[in-house]
Amino acid sequence: MTPVALNAARRTADVTALADGAPLDVLVIGGGITGAGVALDAASRGLSVALVEKHDLAFGTSRWSSKLVHGGLRYLATGNVGIARRSAVERGILMTRNAPHLVRAMPQLVPLLPSMGHAERALVRAGFLAGDVLRKTAGTPSSVLPRSRRISAQRVIEMAATVRRDGLDGGLLAFDGQLIDDARLVIAVARTAAQRGARILTYVAASEATGTSARLTDQRSGESFDVSARAVINATGVWAGEIDPALKLRPSRGTHLVFDAETFGNPTAALTIPIPGEINRFIFAMPEQLGRVYLGLTDEDAPGAIPDVPQPSPDEIGFLLQTVNTALEITLDDSDVIGAYAGLRPLIDTGEGRTADVSRDHAIVDSDSGVISVIGGKLTEYRRMAQDVLDHAVAQRGLTAGACRTHDLPLVGALTNPGSDVALTTDLPESLIARYGAEAGNVVATARCERPTDPVVDGIDVTRAEFEYAITHEGALGVGDILDRRTRIGLVAADRERVVGVAEEFLTRFA
Ligand SMILES: Cc1cc2nc3c(=O)[nH]c(=O)nc-3n(C[C@H](O)[C@H](O)[C@H](O)COP(=O)(O)OP(=O)(O)OC[C@H]3O[C@@H](n4cnc5c(N)ncnc54)[C@H](O)[C@@H]3O)c2cc1C
């Protein structure tokens, strides 16, 4: 199949068609993981669908996550068996069918240090064993996610060299799903939807939404026009209340810090450290692409106006450093932090209590205006959320549509036959395959720039071909789209500065 190309020319054609054209079956508002998932579900059922996103794909919460495809262990511990099971099932679908190229098995390592008492160790061990059962009952084989186990102190140090050694009594190891990047998942889902006919319109904002219409404003030209649809679905995450003021959300901020992986001794496992004084809450130092480690995360009430780009607070940064230092041989401080990011969880307001205890379940809400909103949930469950909201819309609006098909639908780039796939048998950089899967060869083959497999600048593991592909195939329209969402170079300001000029040059040549 020809790789689907989202770019400025396609966007212009789609905006024109939408402004002039026939009513849609479904209009999706919001281009995060939820909206992209809804657009894919609708398009793959044969419905006519357009998705509008005020900024860029993955501009909102979806790019600020921990990039984990959770097995749901945390929900099991809090008694939410239903969410835990659903999460484990969705993780298995993503890792084996939808996006095996974007999700890998991440070893999660709890070092057994003297600060961890017998009861706490037993609790973690029991949790990991429950996670194994959850994986098994969800039908995910141990060849995809290995069983949990206890490992020696020597092995702990091999996997995470900076762990405190004094009194280290081995470690507990379990496996969960880790995305190469959350924004890349959103782009892959949106492009797969486009491949099935969805119109994906970035930099188009929706307002005045009703059950059958919305006003759209092209953020680039300033022009507005109305569209009609048989169902209008609000997937705007923490901004959902702007489309339906009756919705009650309780945003909670989560912050991560970014480090050079060398600072942590180039770990191969996610160091998982209990938060002192808390039961069943941990922070994680996770090995990531581009030679980085992300350390997260916090959970803070974030009332008031919703910022476009949330900012970490000094207290959160202090908390993360202080907690990680309890388990390290070294002492990290502010000067080791090379970047930081914060996101707002779109939690449903259930009243009082800490945000950490608020349910991560999703909900489908019919507003008085007729708009159907999908709120709450987790990135891991986007496919299931989309299925639920489309089932609801189809039944409620009497749409003629097939059954949900996303369960077995590979996203663009999915390696359906990894053993023999052409992308894996060539000399392409490993990082390119990790980000594009079966499309990696195409990223280079379609490039018109000089030296396509050279890095964009020395020391940054992103090729020149990727900048071009972002513009020609992945819908990047500006510098931020390339640096902050198609790639994540922008998470480190110093790296961002070094490549801004290259991104600008590529936009001039290829947009
Ligand atoms: C710190 C943190 C860590 C997390 N970690 C994980 C994790 O590891 N695993 C996991 O499964 N989940 C995780 N989550 C949860 C997950 O990230 C979110 O549930 C998910 O990304 C929400 O996606 P969304 O599409 O609903 O919202 P968003 O990604 O916020 O998308 C909404 C979009 O709507 C657009 N929009 C708003 N108003 C309009 C308008 N009027 N017109 C057009 N567009 C509009 C916005 O620009 C935005 O792009 C985490 C969340 C946080 C905050």
Side-chain angles (χ1 to χ4, degrees), residues 29-35 52-56 59-62 64-68 70 204-206 235-237 239 243 252 254 256 297 343-346 376-380:
I29 308 176
I33 191 61
T34 310
V52 292
E53 161 57 52
K54 187 175 183 176
H55 303 276
D56 182 26
F59 181 85
T61 302
S62 297
W64 304 127
S65 81
S66 302
K67 291 117 185 61
L68 295 177
H70 288 298
V204 172
T236 54
W239 293 276
I243 301 291
S252 120
H256 290 82
L297 83 167
L344 296 177
R345 297 176 186 85
K378 298 284 288 179
L379 188 126
T380 305

mmCIF file of all heavy atoms in Angstrom, residues 29-35 52-56 59-62 64-68 70 204-206 235-237 239 243 252 254 256 297 343-346 376-380, ligand 1:
data_model
loop_
_atom_site.group_PDB
_atom_site.id
_atom_site.type_symbol
_atom_site.label_atom_id
_atom_site.label_comp_id
_atom_site.label_asym_id
_atom_site.label_seq_id
_atom_site.Cartn_x
_atom_site.Cartn_y
_atom_site.Cartn_z
ATOM 1 N N ILE A 29 -13.712 16.504 17.187
ATOM 2 C CA ILE A 29 -13.006 17.713 17.626
ATOM 3 C C ILE A 29 -11.885 17.285 18.573
ATOM 4 O O ILE A 29 -12.135 16.680 19.615
ATOM 5 C CB ILE A 29 -13.955 18.698 18.347
ATOM 6 C CG1 ILE A 29 -15.198 18.962 17.481
ATOM 7 C CG2 ILE A 29 -13.232 19.994 18.675
ATOM 8 C CD1 ILE A 29 -16.243 19.846 18.166
ATOM 9 N N GLY A 30 -10.636 17.585 18.204
ATOM 10 C CA GLY A 30 -9.483 17.244 19.048
ATOM 11 C C GLY A 30 -8.598 16.209 18.379
ATOM 12 O O GLY A 30 -9.073 15.147 17.960
ATOM 13 N N GLY A 31 -7.321 16.533 18.263
ATOM 14 C CA GLY A 31 -6.368 15.633 17.594
ATOM 15 C C GLY A 31 -5.323 15.078 18.528
ATOM 16 O O GLY A 31 -4.146 14.982 18.194
ATOM 17 N N GLY A 32 -5.751 14.708 19.754
ATOM 18 C CA GLY A 32 -4.886 13.931 20.645
ATOM 19 C C GLY A 32 -5.117 12.457 20.340
ATOM 20 O O GLY A 32 -5.740 12.108 19.324
ATOM 21 N N ILE A 33 -4.661 11.583 21.253
ATOM 22 C CA ILE A 33 -4.814 10.146 20.994
ATOM 23 C C ILE A 33 -6.297 9.765 20.949
ATOM 24 O O ILE A 33 -6.702 8.918 20.134
ATOM 25 C CB ILE A 33 -4.041 9.299 22.028
ATOM 26 C CG1 ILE A 33 -3.995 7.840 21.595
ATOM 27 C CG2 ILE A 33 -4.603 9.422 23.438
ATOM 28 C CD1 ILE A 33 -3.315 7.558 20.303
ATOM 29 N N THR A 34 -7.133 10.414 21.774
ATOM 30 C CA THR A 34 -8.548 10.035 21.795
ATOM 31 C C THR A 34 -9.211 10.378 20.470
ATOM 32 O O THR A 34 -9.866 9.526 19.843
ATOM 33 C CB THR A 34 -9.280 10.732 22.967
ATOM 34 O OG1 THR A 34 -8.531 10.512 24.164
ATOM 35 C CG2 THR A 34 -10.678 10.202 23.142
ATOM 36 N N GLY A 35 -9.036 11.627 20.010
ATOM 37 C CA GLY A 35 -9.665 12.047 18.761
ATOM 38 C C GLY A 35 -9.137 11.257 17.570
ATOM 39 O O GLY A 35 -9.905 10.845 16.682
ATOM 40 N N VAL A 52 -10.789 17.696 13.420
ATOM 41 C CA VAL A 52 -10.197 19.035 13.452
ATOM 42 C C VAL A 52 -9.423 19.226 14.746
ATOM 43 O O VAL A 52 -9.883 18.844 15.823
ATOM 44 C CB VAL A 52 -11.250 20.159 13.292
ATOM 45 C CG1 VAL A 52 -11.841 20.132 11.885
ATOM 46 C CG2 VAL A 52 -12.342 20.080 14.337
ATOM 47 N N GLU A 53 -8.244 19.770 14.624
ATOM 48 C CA GLU A 53 -7.356 20.005 15.767
ATOM 49 C C GLU A 53 -6.902 21.462 15.708
ATOM 50 O O GLU A 53 -6.394 21.925 14.700
ATOM 51 C CB GLU A 53 -6.154 19.042 15.681
ATOM 52 C CG GLU A 53 -4.945 19.441 16.509
ATOM 53 C CD GLU A 53 -5.216 19.619 18.005
ATOM 54 O OE1 GLU A 53 -5.780 18.699 18.612
ATOM 55 O OE2 GLU A 53 -4.861 20.704 18.542
ATOM 56 N N LYS A 54 -7.109 22.145 16.827
ATOM 57 C CA LYS A 54 -6.832 23.583 16.910
ATOM 58 C C LYS A 54 -5.358 23.916 16.664
ATOM 59 O O LYS A 54 -5.035 24.929 16.064
ATOM 60 C CB LYS A 54 -7.225 24.021 18.317
ATOM 61 C CG LYS A 54 -7.193 25.478 18.589
ATOM 62 C CD LYS A 54 -7.745 25.645 20.013
ATOM 63 C CE LYS A 54 -7.835 27.083 20.424
ATOM 64 N NZ LYS A 54 -8.462 27.182 21.758
ATOM 65 N N HIS A 55 -4.476 23.071 17.168
ATOM 66 C CA HIS A 55 -3.034 23.282 16.968
ATOM 67 C C HIS A 55 -2.533 22.171 16.045
ATOM 68 O O HIS A 55 -3.044 21.995 14.966
ATOM 69 C CB HIS A 55 -2.301 23.271 18.304
ATOM 70 C CG HIS A 55 -2.816 24.281 19.286
ATOM 71 N ND1 HIS A 55 -2.418 25.589 19.301
ATOM 72 C CD2 HIS A 55 -3.713 24.176 20.297
ATOM 73 C CE1 HIS A 55 -3.037 26.252 20.267
ATOM 74 N NE2 HIS A 55 -3.834 25.403 20.889
ATOM 75 N N ASP A 56 -1.566 21.407 16.554
ATOM 76 C CA ASP A 56 -0.998 20.297 15.790
ATOM 77 C C ASP A 56 -1.484 18.985 16.401
ATOM 78 O O ASP A 56 -1.937 18.967 17.553
ATOM 79 C CB ASP A 56 0.536 20.395 15.893
ATOM 80 C CG ASP A 56 1.264 19.319 15.107
ATOM 81 O OD1 ASP A 56 0.701 18.811 14.115
ATOM 82 O OD2 ASP A 56 2.410 18.991 15.492
ATOM 83 N N PHE A 59 -0.823 17.944 20.248
ATOM 84 C CA PHE A 59 -0.390 19.190 20.885
ATOM 85 C C PHE A 59 -0.684 19.183 22.389
ATOM 86 O O PHE A 59 0.044 19.772 23.176
ATOM 87 C CB PHE A 59 -1.097 20.386 20.237
ATOM 88 C CG PHE A 59 -0.676 21.696 20.825
ATOM 89 C CD1 PHE A 59 0.464 22.338 20.359
ATOM 90 C CD2 PHE A 59 -1.388 22.277 21.873
ATOM 91 C CE1 PHE A 59 0.878 23.544 20.926
ATOM 92 C CE2 PHE A 59 -0.979 23.481 22.443
ATOM 93 C CZ PHE A 59 0.158 24.108 21.957
ATOM 94 N N GLY A 60 -1.758 18.504 22.793
ATOM 95 C CA GLY A 60 -2.211 18.556 24.193
ATOM 96 C C GLY A 60 -1.548 17.502 25.076
ATOM 97 O O GLY A 60 -0.368 17.177 24.909
ATOM 98 N N THR A 61 -2.334 16.949 25.989
ATOM 99 C CA THR A 61 -1.815 16.009 26.991
ATOM 100 C C THR A 61 -1.090 14.822 26.371
ATOM 101 O O THR A 61 -0.128 14.301 26.952
ATOM 102 C CB THR A 61 -2.998 15.489 27.846
ATOM 103 O OG1 THR A 61 -3.652 16.606 28.440
ATOM 104 C CG2 THR A 61 -2.532 14.541 28.929
ATOM 105 N N SER A 62 -1.535 14.396 25.186
ATOM 106 C CA SER A 62 -1.014 13.148 24.623
ATOM 107 C C SER A 62 0.492 13.138 24.398
ATOM 108 O O SER A 62 1.082 12.077 24.269
ATOM 109 C CB SER A 62 -1.734 12.819 23.315
ATOM 110 O OG SER A 62 -3.098 12.608 23.579
ATOM 111 N N TRP A 64 2.589 14.558 26.593
ATOM 112 C CA TRP A 64 3.249 14.778 27.888
ATOM 113 C C TRP A 64 3.129 13.572 28.812
ATOM 114 O O TRP A 64 3.300 13.679 30.011
ATOM 115 C CB TRP A 64 2.629 16.005 28.589
ATOM 116 C CG TRP A 64 2.647 17.283 27.816
ATOM 117 C CD1 TRP A 64 1.575 18.090 27.561
ATOM 118 C CD2 TRP A 64 3.783 17.935 27.224
ATOM 119 N NE1 TRP A 64 1.978 19.190 26.849
ATOM 120 C CE2 TRP A 64 3.325 19.127 26.622
ATOM 121 C CE3 TRP A 64 5.149 17.615 27.139
ATOM 122 C CZ2 TRP A 64 4.167 20.006 25.947
ATOM 123 C CZ3 TRP A 64 5.994 18.490 26.451
ATOM 124 C CH2 TRP A 64 5.496 19.667 25.878
ATOM 125 N N SER A 65 2.784 12.408 28.270
ATOM 126 C CA SER A 65 2.562 11.238 29.129
ATOM 127 C C SER A 65 3.889 10.593 29.529
ATOM 128 O O SER A 65 4.957 11.042 29.118
ATOM 129 C CB SER A 65 1.682 10.217 28.398
ATOM 130 O OG SER A 65 2.466 9.447 27.509
ATOM 131 N N SER A 66 3.796 9.505 30.285
ATOM 132 C CA SER A 66 4.998 8.732 30.645
ATOM 133 C C SER A 66 5.389 7.785 29.520
ATOM 134 O O SER A 66 6.362 7.048 29.640
ATOM 135 C CB SER A 66 4.756 7.911 31.914
ATOM 136 O OG SER A 66 4.388 8.745 32.977
ATOM 137 N N LYS A 67 4.613 7.766 28.456
ATOM 138 C CA LYS A 67 4.881 6.948 27.263
ATOM 139 C C LYS A 67 4.822 5.449 27.591
ATOM 140 O O LYS A 67 5.544 4.631 27.025
ATOM 141 C CB LYS A 67 6.233 7.311 26.614
ATOM 142 C CG LYS A 67 6.205 8.696 25.973
ATOM 143 C CD LYS A 67 7.198 9.623 26.643
ATOM 144 C CE LYS A 67 7.221 11.043 26.205
ATOM 145 N NZ LYS A 67 6.051 11.878 26.350
ATOM 146 N N LEU A 68 3.956 5.107 28.536
ATOM 147 C CA LEU A 68 3.801 3.690 28.900
ATOM 148 C C LEU A 68 2.470 3.164 28.386
ATOM 149 O O LEU A 68 1.472 3.876 28.392
ATOM 150 C CB LEU A 68 3.843 3.521 30.423
ATOM 151 C CG LEU A 68 5.168 3.882 31.082
ATOM 152 C CD1 LEU A 68 5.065 3.745 32.591
ATOM 153 C CD2 LEU A 68 6.298 3.012 30.546
ATOM 154 N N HIS A 70 0.260 0.744 29.721
ATOM 155 C CA HIS A 70 0.151 0.106 31.039
ATOM 156 C C HIS A 70 -0.585 -1.213 30.991
ATOM 157 O O HIS A 70 -1.615 -1.324 30.338
ATOM 158 C CB HIS A 70 -0.679 0.979 31.979
ATOM 159 C CG HIS A 70 0.014 2.210 32.436
ATOM 160 N ND1 HIS A 70 1.155 2.185 33.168
ATOM 161 C CD2 HIS A 70 -0.306 3.513 32.282
ATOM 162 C CE1 HIS A 70 1.514 3.424 33.450
ATOM 163 N NE2 HIS A 70 0.656 4.258 32.906
ATOM 164 N N VAL A 204 -7.079 23.838 12.780
ATOM 165 C CA VAL A 204 -8.474 24.205 12.540
ATOM 166 C C VAL A 204 -9.202 24.038 13.886
ATOM 167 O O VAL A 204 -9.213 22.947 14.455
ATOM 168 C CB VAL A 204 -9.123 23.306 11.461
ATOM 169 C CG1 VAL A 204 -10.624 23.583 11.368
ATOM 170 C CG2 VAL A 204 -8.460 23.514 10.102
ATOM 171 N N ALA A 205 -9.764 25.126 14.397
ATOM 172 C CA ALA A 205 -10.446 25.084 15.702
ATOM 173 C C ALA A 205 -11.947 24.976 15.504
ATOM 174 O O ALA A 205 -12.500 25.544 14.563
ATOM 175 C CB ALA A 205 -10.130 26.355 16.489
ATOM 176 N N ALA A 206 -12.588 24.248 16.417
ATOM 177 C CA ALA A 206 -14.053 24.133 16.379
ATOM 178 C C ALA A 206 -14.656 24.995 17.477
ATOM 179 O O ALA A 206 -14.080 25.140 18.555
ATOM 180 C CB ALA A 206 -14.458 22.685 16.582
ATOM 181 N N ALA A 235 -13.560 15.370 21.620
ATOM 182 C CA ALA A 235 -12.430 14.606 22.185
ATOM 183 C C ALA A 235 -11.308 15.588 22.509
ATOM 184 O O ALA A 235 -10.169 15.404 22.107
ATOM 185 C CB ALA A 235 -11.957 13.544 21.188
ATOM 186 N N THR A 236 -11.665 16.651 23.239
ATOM 187 C CA THR A 236 -10.695 17.718 23.466
ATOM 188 C C THR A 236 -10.016 17.632 24.834
ATOM 189 O O THR A 236 -9.423 18.612 25.305
ATOM 190 C CB THR A 236 -11.366 19.105 23.307
ATOM 191 O OG1 THR A 236 -12.512 19.156 24.155
ATOM 192 C CG2 THR A 236 -11.787 19.369 21.878
ATOM 193 N N GLY A 237 -10.066 16.474 25.473
ATOM 194 C CA GLY A 237 -9.308 16.259 26.713
ATOM 195 C C GLY A 237 -9.623 17.295 27.775
ATOM 196 O O GLY A 237 -10.800 17.562 28.067
ATOM 197 N N TRP A 239 -9.680 20.309 27.643
ATOM 198 C CA TRP A 239 -10.419 21.470 27.116
ATOM 199 C C TRP A 239 -11.896 21.130 26.841
ATOM 200 O O TRP A 239 -12.616 21.953 26.282
ATOM 201 C CB TRP A 239 -9.756 21.977 25.834
ATOM 202 C CG TRP A 239 -8.391 22.561 26.077
ATOM 203 C CD1 TRP A 239 -8.112 23.837 26.487
ATOM 204 C CD2 TRP A 239 -7.121 21.906 25.943
ATOM 205 N NE1 TRP A 239 -6.750 24.003 26.615
ATOM 206 C CE2 TRP A 239 -6.123 22.838 26.294
ATOM 207 C CE3 TRP A 239 -6.735 20.611 25.577
ATOM 208 C CZ2 TRP A 239 -4.764 22.516 26.277
ATOM 209 C CZ3 TRP A 239 -5.385 20.301 25.569
ATOM 210 C CH2 TRP A 239 -4.413 21.239 25.917
ATOM 211 N N ILE A 243 -16.138 23.064 24.930
ATOM 212 C CA ILE A 243 -17.120 22.635 23.922
ATOM 213 C C ILE A 243 -18.473 22.367 24.588
ATOM 214 O O ILE A 243 -19.514 22.686 24.049
ATOM 215 C CB ILE A 243 -16.609 21.357 23.185
ATOM 216 C CG1 ILE A 243 -15.251 21.618 22.498
ATOM 217 C CG2 ILE A 243 -17.642 20.824 22.195
ATOM 218 C CD1 ILE A 243 -15.285 22.565 21.318
ATOM 219 N N SER A 252 -5.295 17.243 36.559
ATOM 220 C CA SER A 252 -4.214 17.021 37.517
ATOM 221 C C SER A 252 -2.895 17.036 36.748
ATOM 222 O O SER A 252 -2.779 16.445 35.676
ATOM 223 C CB SER A 252 -4.440 15.702 38.246
ATOM 224 O OG SER A 252 -3.394 14.808 38.043
ATOM 225 N N GLY A 254 0.969 16.341 35.881
ATOM 226 C CA GLY A 254 2.019 15.340 36.074
ATOM 227 C C GLY A 254 3.284 15.846 35.407
ATOM 228 O O GLY A 254 3.245 16.297 34.273
ATOM 229 N N HIS A 256 7.509 15.414 34.432
ATOM 230 C CA HIS A 256 8.688 14.563 34.212
ATOM 231 C C HIS A 256 9.911 15.443 34.044
ATOM 232 O O HIS A 256 9.812 16.541 33.490
ATOM 233 C CB HIS A 256 8.548 13.747 32.918
ATOM 234 C CG HIS A 256 7.510 12.675 32.973
ATOM 235 N ND1 HIS A 256 6.177 12.920 32.765
ATOM 236 C CD2 HIS A 256 7.619 11.337 33.205
ATOM 237 C CE1 HIS A 256 5.495 11.783 32.872
ATOM 238 N NE2 HIS A 256 6.346 10.798 33.139
ATOM 239 N N LEU A 297 6.719 10.471 38.159
ATOM 240 C CA LEU A 297 5.978 11.637 37.836
ATOM 241 C C LEU A 297 5.180 12.080 39.015
ATOM 242 O O LEU A 297 5.046 11.336 39.970
ATOM 243 C CB LEU A 297 5.109 11.401 36.593
ATOM 244 C CG LEU A 297 3.752 10.721 36.660
ATOM 245 C CD1 LEU A 297 3.020 10.916 35.362
ATOM 246 C CD2 LEU A 297 3.885 9.213 36.916
ATOM 247 N N GLY A 343 2.140 17.724 31.993
ATOM 248 C CA GLY A 343 0.892 17.533 31.252
ATOM 249 C C GLY A 343 -0.272 17.513 32.228
ATOM 250 O O GLY A 343 -0.084 17.296 33.425
ATOM 251 N N LEU A 344 -1.458 17.750 31.703
ATOM 252 C CA LEU A 344 -2.659 17.742 32.543
ATOM 253 C C LEU A 344 -3.511 16.524 32.231
ATOM 254 O O LEU A 344 -3.938 16.328 31.087
ATOM 255 C CB LEU A 344 -3.484 19.012 32.305
ATOM 256 C CG LEU A 344 -2.798 20.332 32.691
ATOM 257 C CD1 LEU A 344 -3.692 21.515 32.335
ATOM 258 C CD2 LEU A 344 -2.462 20.362 34.182
ATOM 259 N N ARG A 345 -3.745 15.703 33.263
ATOM 260 C CA ARG A 345 -4.607 14.533 33.082
ATOM 261 C C ARG A 345 -6.056 15.010 32.990
ATOM 262 O O ARG A 345 -6.492 15.783 33.845
ATOM 263 C CB ARG A 345 -4.495 13.576 34.270
ATOM 264 C CG ARG A 345 -3.120 12.994 34.464
ATOM 265 C CD ARG A 345 -3.086 12.139 35.739
ATOM 266 N NE ARG A 345 -1.725 11.691 36.016
ATOM 267 C CZ ARG A 345 -0.820 12.389 36.675
ATOM 268 N NH1 ARG A 345 -1.118 13.584 37.140
ATOM 269 N NH2 ARG A 345 0.386 11.901 36.874
ATOM 270 N N PRO A 346 -6.795 14.523 32.009
ATOM 271 C CA PRO A 346 -8.197 14.953 31.893
ATOM 272 C C PRO A 346 -9.101 14.121 32.789
ATOM 273 O O PRO A 346 -9.949 13.377 32.316
ATOM 274 C CB PRO A 346 -8.498 14.711 30.402
ATOM 275 C CG PRO A 346 -7.601 13.573 30.009
ATOM 276 C CD PRO A 346 -6.391 13.609 30.912
ATOM 277 N N GLY A 376 -11.883 11.627 30.134
ATOM 278 C CA GLY A 376 -11.156 10.742 31.051
ATOM 279 C C GLY A 376 -10.322 9.742 30.282
ATOM 280 O O GLY A 376 -9.919 9.989 29.147
ATOM 281 N N GLY A 377 -10.071 8.600 30.895
ATOM 282 C CA GLY A 377 -9.361 7.518 30.211
ATOM 283 C C GLY A 377 -7.855 7.676 30.208
ATOM 284 O O GLY A 377 -7.296 8.568 30.837
ATOM 285 N N LYS A 378 -7.210 6.758 29.502
ATOM 286 C CA LYS A 378 -5.747 6.698 29.422
ATOM 287 C C LYS A 378 -5.369 6.506 27.972
ATOM 288 O O LYS A 378 -6.131 5.960 27.179
ATOM 289 C CB LYS A 378 -5.223 5.467 30.184
ATOM 290 C CG LYS A 378 -5.506 5.432 31.645
ATOM 291 C CD LYS A 378 -4.627 6.355 32.416
ATOM 292 C CE LYS A 378 -3.197 5.858 32.509
ATOM 293 N NZ LYS A 378 -2.354 6.804 33.244
ATOM 294 N N LEU A 379 -4.167 6.914 27.664
ATOM 295 C CA LEU A 379 -3.641 6.708 26.318
ATOM 296 C C LEU A 379 -3.692 5.219 25.922
ATOM 297 O O LEU A 379 -4.098 4.864 24.814
ATOM 298 C CB LEU A 379 -2.203 7.209 26.342
ATOM 299 C CG LEU A 379 -1.412 7.324 25.083
ATOM 300 C CD1 LEU A 379 -0.880 8.752 24.988
ATOM 301 C CD2 LEU A 379 -0.239 6.389 25.102
ATOM 302 N N THR A 380 -3.337 4.348 26.862
ATOM 303 C CA THR A 380 -3.323 2.902 26.607
ATOM 304 C C THR A 380 -4.665 2.407 26.054
ATOM 305 O O THR A 380 -4.707 1.496 25.241
ATOM 306 C CB THR A 380 -3.017 2.144 27.927
ATOM 307 O OG1 THR A 380 -1.798 2.644 28.455
ATOM 308 C CG2 THR A 380 -2.930 0.650 27.724
HETATM 309 C C1 LIG B 1 1.860 13.373 33.112
HETATM 310 C C2 LIG B 1 0.969 12.355 32.489
HETATM 311 C C3 LIG B 1 1.424 11.053 32.289
HETATM 312 C C4 LIG B 1 0.600 10.105 31.670
HETATM 313 N N1 LIG B 1 1.111 8.884 31.404
HETATM 314 C C5 LIG B 1 0.351 7.965 30.773
HETATM 315 C C6 LIG B 1 0.907 6.723 30.408
HETATM 316 O O1 LIG B 1 2.099 6.472 30.605
HETATM 317 N N2 LIG B 1 0.095 5.824 29.794
HETATM 318 C C7 LIG B 1 -1.213 6.092 29.531
HETATM 319 O O2 LIG B 1 -1.895 5.214 29.020
HETATM 320 N N3 LIG B 1 -1.764 7.291 29.822
HETATM 321 C C8 LIG B 1 -1.005 8.238 30.430
HETATM 322 N N4 LIG B 1 -1.528 9.466 30.714
HETATM 323 C C9 LIG B 1 -2.900 9.784 30.307
HETATM 324 C C10 LIG B 1 -2.946 10.157 28.836
HETATM 325 O O3 LIG B 1 -1.819 10.912 28.465
HETATM 326 C C11 LIG B 1 -4.203 10.954 28.532
HETATM 327 O O4 LIG B 1 -5.323 10.276 29.033
HETATM 328 C C12 LIG B 1 -4.408 11.143 27.028
HETATM 329 O O5 LIG B 1 -3.225 11.582 26.399
HETATM 330 C C13 LIG B 1 -5.527 12.147 26.755
HETATM 331 O O6 LIG B 1 -5.638 12.291 25.370
HETATM 332 P P1 LIG B 1 -6.788 13.153 24.714
HETATM 333 O O7 LIG B 1 -6.706 12.956 23.257
HETATM 334 O O8 LIG B 1 -8.085 12.840 25.379
HETATM 335 O O9 LIG B 1 -6.432 14.649 25.113
HETATM 336 P P2 LIG B 1 -5.294 15.670 24.404
HETATM 337 O O10 LIG B 1 -4.123 14.877 24.061
HETATM 338 O O11 LIG B 1 -5.182 16.767 25.357
HETATM 339 O O12 LIG B 1 -6.025 16.078 23.083
HETATM 340 C C14 LIG B 1 -7.038 17.055 23.028
HETATM 341 C C15 LIG B 1 -6.766 17.927 21.819
HETATM 342 O O13 LIG B 1 -7.889 18.750 21.564
HETATM 343 C C16 LIG B 1 -7.424 19.954 20.999
HETATM 344 N N5 LIG B 1 -8.470 20.976 21.132
HETATM 345 C C17 LIG B 1 -8.873 21.600 22.247
HETATM 346 N N6 LIG B 1 -9.876 22.458 21.979
HETATM 347 C C18 LIG B 1 -10.121 22.371 20.656
HETATM 348 C C19 LIG B 1 -11.036 23.005 19.770
HETATM 349 N N7 LIG B 1 -11.924 23.908 20.212
HETATM 350 N N8 LIG B 1 -11.002 22.694 18.451
HETATM 351 C C20 LIG B 1 -10.118 21.775 17.981
HETATM 352 N N9 LIG B 1 -9.224 21.149 18.782
HETATM 353 C C21 LIG B 1 -9.225 21.426 20.100
HETATM 354 C C22 LIG B 1 -6.169 20.254 21.798
HETATM 355 O O14 LIG B 1 -5.297 21.142 21.107
HETATM 356 C C23 LIG B 1 -5.576 18.867 21.991
HETATM 357 O O15 LIG B 1 -4.579 18.547 21.042
HETATM 358 C C24 LIG B 1 -0.717 10.451 31.309
HETATM 359 C C25 LIG B 1 -1.180 11.762 31.522
HETATM 360 C C26 LIG B 1 -0.339 12.706 32.086
HETATM 361 C C27 LIG B 1 -0.826 14.093 32.256
#
